Amino acid sequence: MSSQLDLEAVMAANQTAPGKMPAPTAESEEWTEIRGIIEDHITNQPRSLQKEIGPSELGTDCLHCLAARLAGWEKRQSAAWLPFIGTCVHSRFEHLFNGRKDEFTVPVDDGGEPWAVKRFEAERHVNVGAIHGLHGMSRVHGSIDLYDAETGMTIDWKITGTTTLRNVKANGPSQQYRVQASLYGIGLENDGEPCEKNAIYFLPRNSVSLNDALPIEMDFDPKPGKWALGRAQLMANLLDLIEESDGTDMRDAWIHALPTSPTHCFQCGTWPDDQLGDLAQLNQDQYPALPDKWRQATSLLESTYNNTTEQKEE
């Protein structure tokens, strides 16, 4: 009998009388302050404040953005939420793998006792090269998301949406990602470490599991990285030549006239000259007329690397 009464009491409690529905949830008045704290934290992340160009940027097919970066233009960008999600995942993976005790043994050439080496190293810092210019030298350095010393492989995490995953399945990793991986291998070799493979693990940002992950593995090839370093040095030389000859306004006019990415560029729309859209038509009156000799210099620069390598999907 008591069970029946309990059931009736529960049913009665779940029946809300008309006119007594709870009021709609009001927007929090404190959200503005909390959002400001979060966005200030995002914009002051080391990656957001980095002034020197890094391995992740050198492979872009957007000549305009590459030149703007090399010239030291200031970007106008709001707090980037999606990249911050990736930064958080990177941070957790760093703690995960650096906290592991996996080891492998390395034989000694003189026949002595083999010695143990730590297998995984997350956020391995490498010096890739340098770009020399009118205002000094800029070192190109970065951090490998994960280095597997046993297999000699670099691993790069990419926390991506469904559109990027579809594009990678259809076309393979972008030039920018391939060049980045190549530069990491060059950085390892500069440190005297072997690099046999480069891996890019595309992890789904919007899935409930890792079943939709797309792990790509490639043989290490230094050629794309060397091409990107050479192109950046050539562009820096041209920027300096124009600045020395005709001043910074002419240099900036040349940057403004450079072609943008034929595919997609996350940096477009963040520079002082492209806030309104099409670079070829807008904001042109703020720059001096560009002489033909500087327009012709653009033909010396390649937006794409032509010797693409084959990739293997795991």
Side-chain angles (χ1 to χ4, degrees):
M1 183 69 178
S2 60
S3 298
Q4 179 66 28
L5 292 175
D6 290 343
L7 178 61
E8 291 177 355
V10 170
M11 293 177 64
N14 288 334
Q15 293 177 354
T16 304
K20 295 185 178 180
M21 292 293 290
T25 302
E27 182 174 340
S28 171
E29 295 181 357
E30 195 173 342
W31 167 240
T32 301
E33 179 185 0
I34 297 299
R35 175 179 176 175
I37 294 172
I38 295 171
E39 291 184 334
D40 181 69
H41 175 71
I42 292 174
T43 55
N44 285 287
Q45 289 288 304
R47 292 192 181 194
S48 301
L49 298 175
Q50 181 177 325
K51 297 297 183 182
E52 297 176 323
I53 194 167
S56 64
E57 302 167 284
L58 283 179
T60 180
D61 60 2
C62 183
L63 294 178
H64 169 266
C65 288
L66 179 61
R69 191 74 169 87
L70 289 171
W73 280 15
E74 291 291 333
K75 287 197 296 184
R76 300 176 182 176
Q77 192 170 351
S78 58
W81 175 245
L82 292 183
F84 180 66
I85 295 175
T87 299
C88 293
V89 174
H90 280 70
S91 177
R92 293 307 305 163
F93 283 177
E94 178 184 359
H95 288 290
L96 168 64
F97 284 97
N98 281 345
R100 293 182 62 85
K101 306 300 182 183
D102 306 71
E103 293 182 340
F104 65 101
T105 56
V106 177
V108 180
D109 293 337
D110 60 7
E113 288 293 325
W115 51 290
V117 176
K118 192 175 189 300
R119 180 180 177 186
F120 294 117
E121 184 179 358
E123 297 299 320
R124 165 69 182 265
H125 186 269
V126 288
N127 290 306
V128 172
I131 301 171
H132 300 267
L134 183 65
H135 303 290
M137 179 187 68
S138 175
R139 293 195 178 276
V140 181
H141 55 88
S143 295
I144 302 169
D145 291 342
L146 183 64
Y147 175 53
D148 185 344
E150 185 172 15
T151 61
M153 183 164 70
T154 69
I155 299 172
D156 198 17
W157 317 115
K158 300 297 182 187
I159 317 303
T160 60
T162 54
T163 300
T164 297
L165 286 170
R166 283 197 300 266
N167 288 339
V168 174
K169 286 181 180 179
N171 306 306
S174 68
Q175 169 181 293
Q176 192 160 350
Y177 291 160
R178 287 174 176 272
V179 167
Q180 181 182 7
S182 176
L183 289 168
Y184 285 151
I186 292 173
L188 281 174
E189 291 193 334
N190 289 343
D191 288 345
E193 295 280 357
C195 184
E196 303 293 337
K197 301 278 187 179
N198 296 127
I200 308 173
Y201 291 172
F202 294 89
L203 308 182
R205 187 177 58 238
N206 305 323
S207 297
V208 297
S209 75
L210 290 176
N211 290 338
D212 295 325
L214 188 61
I216 302 293
E217 183 181 307
M218 305 165 282
D219 291 331
F220 167 58
D221 181 2
K223 292 192 294 294
K226 291 179 179 179
W227 167 82
L229 284 170
R231 181 183 65 164
Q233 184 60 66
L234 173 59
M235 179 172 282
N237 292 343
L238 290 172
L239 289 168
D240 288 347
L241 181 62
I242 297 171
E243 181 178 341
E244 280 282 273
S245 176
D246 295 333
T248 56
D249 286 346
M250 187 64 71
R251 180 205 65 183
D252 291 348
W254 185 70
I255 295 174
H256 179 73
L258 287 172
T260 56
S261 171
T263 54
H264 176 72
C265 176
F266 289 103
Q267 303 298 323
C268 281
T270 65
W271 306 107
D273 72 334
D274 63 0
Q275 294 293 299
L276 301 178
D278 187 353
L279 300 180
Q281 298 178 7
L282 301 172
N283 297 328
Q284 191 61 52
D285 57 351
Q286 66 178 303
Y287 298 106
L290 200 62
D292 286 341
K293 64 177 181 178
W294 299 137
R295 291 188 181 277
Q296 292 172 7
T298 304
S299 64
L300 299 173
L301 299 167
E302 296 176 314
S303 62
T304 57
Y305 175 67
N306 295 318
N307 187 22
T308 56
T309 56
E310 295 183 359
Q311 82 276 0
K312 178 179 68 178
E313 180 178 335
E314 288 188 342

